Amino acid sequence: LVGSEMCIRDRLYVGHARDGMSIVDINTRTVRNITPDPAHPHGLPGNSIRAMHKDQFGNIWLATNQGLALYNPQKDSFFTFRNDPRNPNSLGSNSIFSIEAMADGTLWIGTDMAGISILNLNDLTLHNPEQIEFRHISATEQRNSLSSVNVKSIFQDAFQNVWVGNYRMGIDC
């Protein structure tokens, strides 16, 4: 079990290290496990759930080892965002470690080997996924860049400062 869980209404969502996601119905005391299924295009993309986040619109975001997943509980389906090497505005990497919603309505996604990908939730429309664009913050030699492309955690404090925990390179602010 990974330390990712959240309770929404009468359901507990639990992300597992290697076994996908479980949904516990607190009223009926039943558990349903969801794992990736290649035959199901709108299923869970990866079996390692590293982080979960519920945004201000009620969407459930999952950081997986095979992309960023948006889960719709009403339709019981997933929409997956993945890296497309031909598209510089796609998700930076398919290996996601952290998700944090910021006060300005953006979702910051911490990736392995691609720094941070930023999605503006206010502009999010799933009617045309090809038009969804991510901004990126990476590690460069510039003064205001990350110290590492391996972002493990992201946190915004009460003063709106963003703190980034990097693998082997400390903390950026």
Side-chain angles (χ1 to χ4, degrees):
L1 175 69
V2 156
S4 297
E5 75 261 348
M6 70 172 103
C7 193
I8 302 173
R9 296 192 185 153
D10 295 332
R11 292 204 166 84
L12 176 66
Y13 297 85
V14 181
H16 301 284
R18 292 186 188 97
D19 294 319
M21 177 176 85
S22 292
I23 302 174
V24 180
D25 187 313
I26 296 168
N27 292 329
T28 62
R29 297 183 180 192
T30 57
V31 178
R32 185 169 67 103
N33 193 30
I34 300 171
T35 57
D37 179 1
H40 193 268
H42 297 289
L44 182 66
N47 63 348
S48 290
I49 310 299
R50 297 171 175 156
M52 293 182 175
H53 177 75
K54 179 184 165 218
D55 68 21
Q56 73 264 28
F57 304 110
N59 298 315
I60 300 171
W61 296 88
L62 304 166
T64 81
N65 60 323
Q66 295 295 320
L68 177 67
L70 173 59
Y71 178 64
N72 182 331
Q74 289 78 28
K75 295 182 179 179
D76 193 32
S77 66
F78 294 86
F79 184 86
T80 302
F81 298 89
R82 287 198 172 95
N83 173 264
D84 178 355
R86 297 165 295 166
N87 180 358
N89 296 318
S90 70
L91 185 65
S93 168
N94 291 332
S95 184
I96 312 297
F97 282 102
S98 59
I99 305 169
E100 180 74 16
M102 300 296 158
D104 67 356
T106 58
L107 191 70
W108 287 39
I109 300 108
T111 71
D112 184 32
M113 300 304 293
I116 297 171
S117 292
I118 301 172
L119 179 62
N120 188 341
L121 293 175
N122 296 317
D123 295 339
L124 183 66
T125 174
L126 297 179
H127 300 294
N128 193 352
E130 291 80 29
Q131 293 184 352
I132 294 172
E133 294 185 356
F134 290 85
R135 290 183 299 135
H136 303 283
I137 302 174
S138 191
T140 65
E141 294 187 23
Q142 295 178 359
R143 184 170 183 243
N144 294 326
S145 68
L146 296 173
S147 57
S148 171
V149 292
N150 297 310
V151 175
K152 299 295 184 182
S153 61
I154 303 170
F155 174 74
Q156 186 172 41
D157 66 22
F159 300 102
Q160 309 308 313
N161 298 310
V162 178
W163 299 86
V164 179
N166 299 300
Y167 178 70
R168 301 182 110 182
M169 295 302 286
I171 298 172
D172 294 322
C173 180

PDB file of all heavy atoms in Angstrom, residues 87-111:
ATOM      1  N   ASN A  87       5.132  16.284 -29.205  1.00  0.00           N
ATOM      2  CA  ASN A  87       4.355  17.429 -28.758  1.00  0.00           C
ATOM      3  C   ASN A  87       4.996  18.036 -27.502  1.00  0.00           C
ATOM      4  O   ASN A  87       4.880  17.472 -26.419  1.00  0.00           O
ATOM      5  CB  ASN A  87       2.916  17.004 -28.462  1.00  0.00           C
ATOM      6  CG  ASN A  87       2.048  18.154 -27.991  1.00  0.00           C
ATOM      7  OD1 ASN A  87       2.502  19.293 -27.844  1.00  0.00           O
ATOM      8  ND2 ASN A  87       0.788  17.859 -27.733  1.00  0.00           N
ATOM      9  N   PRO A  88       5.652  19.194 -27.623  1.00  0.00           N
ATOM     10  CA  PRO A  88       6.296  19.804 -26.455  1.00  0.00           C
ATOM     11  C   PRO A  88       5.311  20.285 -25.394  1.00  0.00           C
ATOM     12  O   PRO A  88       5.709  20.575 -24.269  1.00  0.00           O
ATOM     13  CB  PRO A  88       7.076  20.978 -27.052  1.00  0.00           C
ATOM     14  CG  PRO A  88       6.390  21.288 -28.330  1.00  0.00           C
ATOM     15  CD  PRO A  88       5.826  19.980 -28.836  1.00  0.00           C
ATOM     16  N   ASN A  89       4.025  20.363 -25.729  1.00  0.00           N
ATOM     17  CA  ASN A  89       3.001  20.786 -24.774  1.00  0.00           C
ATOM     18  C   ASN A  89       2.293  19.617 -24.094  1.00  0.00           C
ATOM     19  O   ASN A  89       1.319  19.816 -23.386  1.00  0.00           O
ATOM     20  CB  ASN A  89       1.975  21.682 -25.461  1.00  0.00           C
ATOM     21  CG  ASN A  89       2.602  22.964 -25.962  1.00  0.00           C
ATOM     22  OD1 ASN A  89       3.415  23.568 -25.278  1.00  0.00           O
ATOM     23  ND2 ASN A  89       2.249  23.359 -27.164  1.00  0.00           N
ATOM     24  N   SER A  90       2.781  18.392 -24.323  1.00  0.00           N
ATOM     25  CA  SER A  90       2.186  17.231 -23.647  1.00  0.00           C
ATOM     26  C   SER A  90       2.803  17.078 -22.262  1.00  0.00           C
ATOM     27  O   SER A  90       3.734  17.804 -21.890  1.00  0.00           O
ATOM     28  CB  SER A  90       2.398  15.959 -24.476  1.00  0.00           C
ATOM     29  OG  SER A  90       3.764  15.568 -24.466  1.00  0.00           O
ATOM     30  N   LEU A  91       2.305  16.144 -21.504  1.00  0.00           N
ATOM     31  CA  LEU A  91       2.849  15.832 -20.185  1.00  0.00           C
ATOM     32  C   LEU A  91       4.338  15.541 -20.324  1.00  0.00           C
ATOM     33  O   LEU A  91       4.763  14.881 -21.271  1.00  0.00           O
ATOM     34  CB  LEU A  91       2.112  14.615 -19.624  1.00  0.00           C
ATOM     35  CG  LEU A  91       2.441  14.176 -18.208  1.00  0.00           C
ATOM     36  CD1 LEU A  91       2.037  15.241 -17.202  1.00  0.00           C
ATOM     37  CD2 LEU A  91       1.716  12.870 -17.902  1.00  0.00           C
ATOM     38  N   GLY A  92       5.161  16.035 -19.385  1.00  0.00           N
ATOM     39  CA  GLY A  92       6.610  15.915 -19.502  1.00  0.00           C
ATOM     40  C   GLY A  92       7.132  14.499 -19.448  1.00  0.00           C
ATOM     41  O   GLY A  92       8.104  14.157 -20.123  1.00  0.00           O
ATOM     42  N   SER A  93       6.512  13.641 -18.652  1.00  0.00           N
ATOM     43  CA  SER A  93       6.957  12.259 -18.477  1.00  0.00           C
ATOM     44  C   SER A  93       5.767  11.411 -18.059  1.00  0.00           C
ATOM     45  O   SER A  93       4.828  11.917 -17.442  1.00  0.00           O
ATOM     46  CB  SER A  93       8.045  12.200 -17.394  1.00  0.00           C
ATOM     47  OG  SER A  93       8.308  10.882 -16.994  1.00  0.00           O
ATOM     48  N   ASN A  94       5.808  10.132 -18.361  1.00  0.00           N
ATOM     49  CA  ASN A  94       4.735   9.223 -17.954  1.00  0.00           C
ATOM     50  C   ASN A  94       4.915   8.714 -16.532  1.00  0.00           C
ATOM     51  O   ASN A  94       4.012   8.096 -15.985  1.00  0.00           O
ATOM     52  CB  ASN A  94       4.641   8.039 -18.910  1.00  0.00           C
ATOM     53  CG  ASN A  94       4.140   8.474 -20.269  1.00  0.00           C
ATOM     54  OD1 ASN A  94       3.397   9.450 -20.391  1.00  0.00           O
ATOM     55  ND2 ASN A  94       4.550   7.772 -21.301  1.00  0.00           N
ATOM     56  N   SER A  95       6.061   8.956 -15.941  1.00  0.00           N
ATOM     57  CA  SER A  95       6.328   8.518 -14.572  1.00  0.00           C
ATOM     58  C   SER A  95       6.063   9.694 -13.637  1.00  0.00           C
ATOM     59  O   SER A  95       6.855  10.620 -13.531  1.00  0.00           O
ATOM     60  CB  SER A  95       7.778   8.042 -14.451  1.00  0.00           C
ATOM     61  OG  SER A  95       8.022   7.528 -13.169  1.00  0.00           O
ATOM     62  N   ILE A  96       4.907   9.643 -12.953  1.00  0.00           N
ATOM     63  CA  ILE A  96       4.442  10.745 -12.120  1.00  0.00           C
ATOM     64  C   ILE A  96       4.607  10.374 -10.649  1.00  0.00           C
ATOM     65  O   ILE A  96       4.254   9.270 -10.235  1.00  0.00           O
ATOM     66  CB  ILE A  96       2.948  11.056 -12.388  1.00  0.00           C
ATOM     67  CG1 ILE A  96       2.644  11.156 -13.879  1.00  0.00           C
ATOM     68  CG2 ILE A  96       2.502  12.298 -11.632  1.00  0.00           C
ATOM     69  CD1 ILE A  96       3.342  12.250 -14.597  1.00  0.00           C
ATOM     70  N   PHE A  97       5.127  11.323  -9.850  1.00  0.00           N
ATOM     71  CA  PHE A  97       5.315  11.073  -8.420  1.00  0.00           C
ATOM     72  C   PHE A  97       4.445  11.934  -7.523  1.00  0.00           C
ATOM     73  O   PHE A  97       4.144  11.543  -6.402  1.00  0.00           O
ATOM     74  CB  PHE A  97       6.784  11.281  -8.029  1.00  0.00           C
ATOM     75  CG  PHE A  97       7.647  10.131  -8.411  1.00  0.00           C
ATOM     76  CD1 PHE A  97       8.460  10.197  -9.527  1.00  0.00           C
ATOM     77  CD2 PHE A  97       7.635   8.962  -7.674  1.00  0.00           C
ATOM     78  CE1 PHE A  97       9.256   9.132  -9.897  1.00  0.00           C
ATOM     79  CE2 PHE A  97       8.416   7.882  -8.039  1.00  0.00           C
ATOM     80  CZ  PHE A  97       9.232   7.973  -9.145  1.00  0.00           C
ATOM     81  N   SER A  98       4.043  13.119  -7.972  1.00  0.00           N
ATOM     82  CA  SER A  98       3.283  13.996  -7.089  1.00  0.00           C
ATOM     83  C   SER A  98       2.315  14.865  -7.872  1.00  0.00           C
ATOM     84  O   SER A  98       2.515  15.129  -9.059  1.00  0.00           O
ATOM     85  CB  SER A  98       4.228  14.867  -6.252  1.00  0.00           C
ATOM     86  OG  SER A  98       5.050  15.638  -7.093  1.00  0.00           O
ATOM     87  N   ILE A  99       1.259  15.293  -7.173  1.00  0.00           N
ATOM     88  CA  ILE A  99       0.244  16.179  -7.744  1.00  0.00           C
ATOM     89  C   ILE A  99      -0.113  17.195  -6.666  1.00  0.00           C
ATOM     90  O   ILE A  99      -0.349  16.820  -5.516  1.00  0.00           O
ATOM     91  CB  ILE A  99      -1.039  15.409  -8.120  1.00  0.00           C
ATOM     92  CG1 ILE A  99      -0.749  14.252  -9.058  1.00  0.00           C
ATOM     93  CG2 ILE A  99      -2.067  16.344  -8.708  1.00  0.00           C
ATOM     94  CD1 ILE A  99      -1.935  13.325  -9.237  1.00  0.00           C
ATOM     95  N   GLU A 100      -0.168  18.463  -7.042  1.00  0.00           N
ATOM     96  CA  GLU A 100      -0.565  19.500  -6.083  1.00  0.00           C
ATOM     97  C   GLU A 100      -1.360  20.573  -6.808  1.00  0.00           C
ATOM     98  O   GLU A 100      -0.919  21.097  -7.834  1.00  0.00           O
ATOM     99  CB  GLU A 100       0.662  20.121  -5.427  1.00  0.00           C
ATOM    100  CG  GLU A 100       0.362  21.190  -4.420  1.00  0.00           C
ATOM    101  CD  GLU A 100      -0.195  20.673  -3.103  1.00  0.00           C
ATOM    102  OE1 GLU A 100      -0.094  19.463  -2.830  1.00  0.00           O
ATOM    103  OE2 GLU A 100      -0.738  21.482  -2.340  1.00  0.00           O
ATOM    104  N   ALA A 101      -2.538  20.894  -6.285  1.00  0.00           N
ATOM    105  CA  ALA A 101      -3.343  21.984  -6.833  1.00  0.00           C
ATOM    106  C   ALA A 101      -2.900  23.277  -6.169  1.00  0.00           C
ATOM    107  O   ALA A 101      -2.714  23.338  -4.957  1.00  0.00           O
ATOM    108  CB  ALA A 101      -4.821  21.742  -6.590  1.00  0.00           C
ATOM    109  N   MET A 102      -2.713  24.313  -6.971  1.00  0.00           N
ATOM    110  CA  MET A 102      -2.263  25.611  -6.476  1.00  0.00           C
ATOM    111  C   MET A 102      -3.445  26.565  -6.331  1.00  0.00           C
ATOM    112  O   MET A 102      -4.499  26.374  -6.927  1.00  0.00           O
ATOM    113  CB  MET A 102      -1.225  26.212  -7.436  1.00  0.00           C
ATOM    114  CG  MET A 102       0.002  25.365  -7.615  1.00  0.00           C
ATOM    115  SD  MET A 102       0.907  25.212  -6.060  1.00  0.00           S
ATOM    116  CE  MET A 102       1.831  23.728  -6.375  1.00  0.00           C
ATOM    117  N   ALA A 103      -3.227  27.622  -5.561  1.00  0.00           N
ATOM    118  CA  ALA A 103      -4.274  28.610  -5.305  1.00  0.00           C
ATOM    119  C   ALA A 103      -4.741  29.315  -6.576  1.00  0.00           C
ATOM    120  O   ALA A 103      -5.870  29.794  -6.643  1.00  0.00           O
ATOM    121  CB  ALA A 103      -3.778  29.634  -4.284  1.00  0.00           C
ATOM    122  N   ASP A 104      -3.898  29.344  -7.606  1.00  0.00           N
ATOM    123  CA  ASP A 104      -4.261  30.030  -8.853  1.00  0.00           C
ATOM    124  C   ASP A 104      -5.055  29.161  -9.823  1.00  0.00           C
ATOM    125  O   ASP A 104      -5.324  29.560 -10.954  1.00  0.00           O
ATOM    126  CB  ASP A 104      -3.020  30.589  -9.548  1.00  0.00           C
ATOM    127  CG  ASP A 104      -2.076  29.504 -10.065  1.00  0.00           C
ATOM    128  OD1 ASP A 104      -2.333  28.303  -9.832  1.00  0.00           O
ATOM    129  OD2 ASP A 104      -1.064  29.866 -10.693  1.00  0.00           O
ATOM    130  N   GLY A 105      -5.434  27.941  -9.419  1.00  0.00           N
ATOM    131  CA  GLY A 105      -6.229  27.068 -10.281  1.00  0.00           C
ATOM    132  C   GLY A 105      -5.411  26.173 -11.192  1.00  0.00           C
ATOM    133  O   GLY A 105      -5.960  25.581 -12.114  1.00  0.00           O
ATOM    134  N   THR A 106      -4.111  26.078 -10.950  1.00  0.00           N
ATOM    135  CA  THR A 106      -3.278  25.183 -11.746  1.00  0.00           C
ATOM    136  C   THR A 106      -2.983  23.908 -10.964  1.00  0.00           C
ATOM    137  O   THR A 106      -3.027  23.892  -9.739  1.00  0.00           O
ATOM    138  CB  THR A 106      -1.943  25.850 -12.156  1.00  0.00           C
ATOM    139  OG1 THR A 106      -1.243  26.265 -10.977  1.00  0.00           O
ATOM    140  CG2 THR A 106      -2.188  27.029 -13.074  1.00  0.00           C
ATOM    141  N   LEU A 107      -2.709  22.861 -11.703  1.00  0.00           N
ATOM    142  CA  LEU A 107      -2.333  21.575 -11.127  1.00  0.00           C
ATOM    143  C   LEU A 107      -0.869  21.339 -11.491  1.00  0.00           C
ATOM    144  O   LEU A 107      -0.520  21.344 -12.671  1.00  0.00           O
ATOM    145  CB  LEU A 107      -3.212  20.464 -11.714  1.00  0.00           C
ATOM    146  CG  LEU A 107      -3.135  19.103 -11.058  1.00  0.00           C
ATOM    147  CD1 LEU A 107      -3.766  19.156  -9.672  1.00  0.00           C
ATOM    148  CD2 LEU A 107      -3.861  18.072 -11.904  1.00  0.00           C
ATOM    149  N   TRP A 108      -0.005  21.195 -10.491  1.00  0.00           N
ATOM    150  CA  TRP A 108       1.412  20.952 -10.711  1.00  0.00           C
ATOM    151  C   TRP A 108       1.672  19.465 -10.568  1.00  0.00           C
ATOM    152  O   TRP A 108       1.278  18.850  -9.571  1.00  0.00           O
ATOM    153  CB  TRP A 108       2.250  21.743  -9.715  1.00  0.00           C
ATOM    154  CG  TRP A 108       2.281  23.222  -9.996  1.00  0.00           C
ATOM    155  CD1 TRP A 108       1.246  24.008 -10.422  1.00  0.00           C
ATOM    156  CD2 TRP A 108       3.401  24.093  -9.843  1.00  0.00           C
ATOM    157  NE1 TRP A 108       1.654  25.312 -10.547  1.00  0.00           N
ATOM    158  CE2 TRP A 108       2.971  25.391 -10.197  1.00  0.00           C
ATOM    159  CE3 TRP A 108       4.712  23.900  -9.436  1.00  0.00           C
ATOM    160  CZ2 TRP A 108       3.819  26.481 -10.157  1.00  0.00           C
ATOM    161  CZ3 TRP A 108       5.557  24.998  -9.392  1.00  0.00           C
ATOM    162  CH2 TRP A 108       5.112  26.270  -9.757  1.00  0.00           C
ATOM    163  N   ILE A 109       2.328  18.890 -11.556  1.00  0.00           N
ATOM    164  CA  ILE A 109       2.586  17.454 -11.619  1.00  0.00           C
ATOM    165  C   ILE A 109       4.090  17.226 -11.558  1.00  0.00           C
ATOM    166  O   ILE A 109       4.820  17.679 -12.445  1.00  0.00           O
ATOM    167  CB  ILE A 109       1.993  16.843 -12.917  1.00  0.00           C
ATOM    168  CG1 ILE A 109       0.476  17.073 -12.952  1.00  0.00           C
ATOM    169  CG2 ILE A 109       2.305  15.363 -13.010  1.00  0.00           C
ATOM    170  CD1 ILE A 109       0.039  18.075 -13.941  1.00  0.00           C
ATOM    171  N   GLY A 110       4.548  16.553 -10.512  1.00  0.00           N
ATOM    172  CA  GLY A 110       5.969  16.250 -10.350  1.00  0.00           C
ATOM    173  C   GLY A 110       6.309  14.955 -11.054  1.00  0.00           C
ATOM    174  O   GLY A 110       5.698  13.921 -10.801  1.00  0.00           O
ATOM    175  N   THR A 111       7.288  15.009 -11.963  1.00  0.00           N
ATOM    176  CA  THR A 111       7.612  13.853 -12.791  1.00  0.00           C
ATOM    177  C   THR A 111       9.027  13.347 -12.532  1.00  0.00           C
ATOM    178  O   THR A 111       9.850  14.033 -11.923  1.00  0.00           O
ATOM    179  CB  THR A 111       7.496  14.195 -14.290  1.00  0.00           C
ATOM    180  OG1 THR A 111       8.570  15.054 -14.660  1.00  0.00           O
ATOM    181  CG2 THR A 111       6.154  14.826 -14.621  1.00  0.00           C
TER     182      THR A 111
END
